[in-house]
Amino acid sequence: MTDVFEKAVAELNLDRSDWQLVKFGDVAIQQKQTVDRENTELTRYVKGEHMYSEDIHLREWGELTDEYLGPAFIRKFEEGDILYGSRRTYLRKVVIAPFEGITSNTTFVIKANEEKIDKRLLPFIMLSEGFSQHSIKNSKGSVNPYVNWKDLAGYEFLLPSVEQQTFIADLFDSIDQVLETEKSTYTRLNLNLEANIEAQIHGVELEGKTINQVLDELEKKIEILPLNKLGKIFKGKGITKSEVVETGLPCIRYGELYTKHHRIIRKYHSFITKESASKSIELKKGDVLLAGSGETISEIGKSASFIDEETVYAGSDIIIFRPDNMDERYLGYLMNSILIRQQLNKVGTGATVMHIYGSDIGKIRVPVIGKNKQKEIGDNLEEIFSSITLVKSRENKTITLRKSLINQVF
């Protein structure tokens, strides 16, 4: 389907001879209805953090009973209104409200002037490069820049004829439907992978049980051993930020384990010189790298398995588990399973920065199965992951295509 849209975009030949130069304020109307939160039937609110960059669909929101909201949350929006984050507009937060609710007065609530524009086009105009750059250029402040409505309203662009508006809006709708299908498939496959990880690695029901209860139940079926009985555990050596260069020998830094890698190291983002490498630790195929530090519980102990024969080094605040005889792909999934993550989360310490130590990791209990079975499980899970990668690639391609179309038209 994406190929069909690619062809349509490539062959797009719009006649702009009858397009009109208009201002954004001619086709968009700012809504300023306020809400008394103590006396309203509205139950949902939207914060800036609920809105994703360059995603017109609202996927998160809050209930008024969830938390205290400051006095800025007074702005009412209705289903179909466009919500636009007026602060840090370089984030390009533009969403179509799927219900009525409340937002803050720093989020613009916008209705299309349907006498002049097909309302379906307005969010895409707001995602165009021209609109975004105008908004950024006219923002005020440095730490938390914001744009005023009057500056947005003055943005000028060419508005298609009514007939072309319908054609273009239909094309955008079709691309959006494909994109949402791809996102839905991606989510479903990820859930399938997570379920398969737990089912294939231990096959014990987790719900309603503590992790120790799960391990005790599992121990009745197979052998359970701490990691320090299955290999060696040691710490990486120092690679400072200043030592990272654009090209050189690849290295893994602890922050990358929870920002750029998940389960298995598949590509490299940092490089060091031979001199820096000489004081670091060279990895071996099959090593598992765990983040020794992080700002949250979910970050510490986050790991990825090293599956290559390449020369790669580990930085400081990385803890390395070097197994005696385990399949590297299986290990990548095992160490990120709920069974292991919950154990790791319990041993993290610290306040501002969380830490986990090799001695703690050595006590993590894991199921012991034969290497052939490990390989079989690893291969099965990698097959699902390959499908996820393919779907994500298609999704990214569709996003790029949509951006190209937006900027061709507007």
Side-chain angles (χ1 to χ4, degrees), residues 354-369:
M354 303 292 293
H355 297 281
I356 194 168
Y357 301 97
S359 56
D360 297 316
I361 290 171
K363 297 173 186 175
I364 300 300
R365 298 160 67 195
V366 303
V368 179
I369 59 177

Side-chain angles (χ1 to χ4, degrees), residues 275-294:
E275 182 181 357
S276 296
S278 66
K279 60 183 181 182
S280 185
I281 290 179
E282 184 178 342
L283 299 177
K284 289 186 178 180
K285 182 180 180 182
D287 284 351
V288 175
L289 284 67
L290 300 97
S293 300

Side-chain angles (χ1 to χ4, degrees), residues 308-354:
D308 293 330
E309 300 280 6
E310 293 184 53
T311 301
V312 180
Y313 295 85
S316 57
D317 264 353
I318 280 181
I319 298 168
I320 300 166
F321 169 59
R322 182 163 290 168
D324 293 330
N325 187 30
M326 298 182 75
D327 182 81
E328 56 269 15
R329 286 182 172 81
Y330 167 80
L331 263 177
Y333 289 101
L334 169 67
M335 295 301 292
N336 285 282
S337 65
I338 296 173
L339 183 73
I340 306 305
R341 286 299 312 162
Q342 288 193 3
Q343 293 183 71
L344 288 167
N345 289 349
K346 289 173 66 176
V347 296
T349 59
T352 306
V353 177
M354 303 292 293

Side-chain angles (χ1 to χ4, degrees), residues 219-247:
E219 202 163 19
K220 294 174 184 177
K221 300 194 298 183
I222 59 174
E223 187 176 16
I224 301 290
L225 288 176
L227 280 177
N228 60 19
K229 298 291 185 183
L230 298 170
K232 298 180 178 64
I233 297 171
F234 49 95
K235 198 172 183 297
K237 292 183 179 178
I239 295 175
T240 65
K241 186 177 180 179
S242 62
E243 291 179 281
V244 176
V245 295
E246 288 190 12
T247 58

Side-chain angles (χ1 to χ4, degrees), residues 137-181:
K137 182 180 178 181
N138 286 279
S139 291
K140 298 168 176 62
S142 54
V143 177
N144 194 16
Y146 64 93
V147 69
N148 290 320
W149 174 257
K150 67 175 184 178
D151 292 319
L152 278 188
Y155 174 66
E156 293 184 331
F157 66 98
L158 285 172
L159 182 66
S161 63
V162 174
E163 294 79 10
Q164 286 182 316
Q165 284 185 41
T166 302
F167 166 74
I168 295 165
D170 287 345
L171 184 55
F172 279 134
D173 276 350
S174 298
I175 293 177
D176 187 63
Q177 288 170 19
V178 170
L179 184 56
E180 286 303 289
T181 298

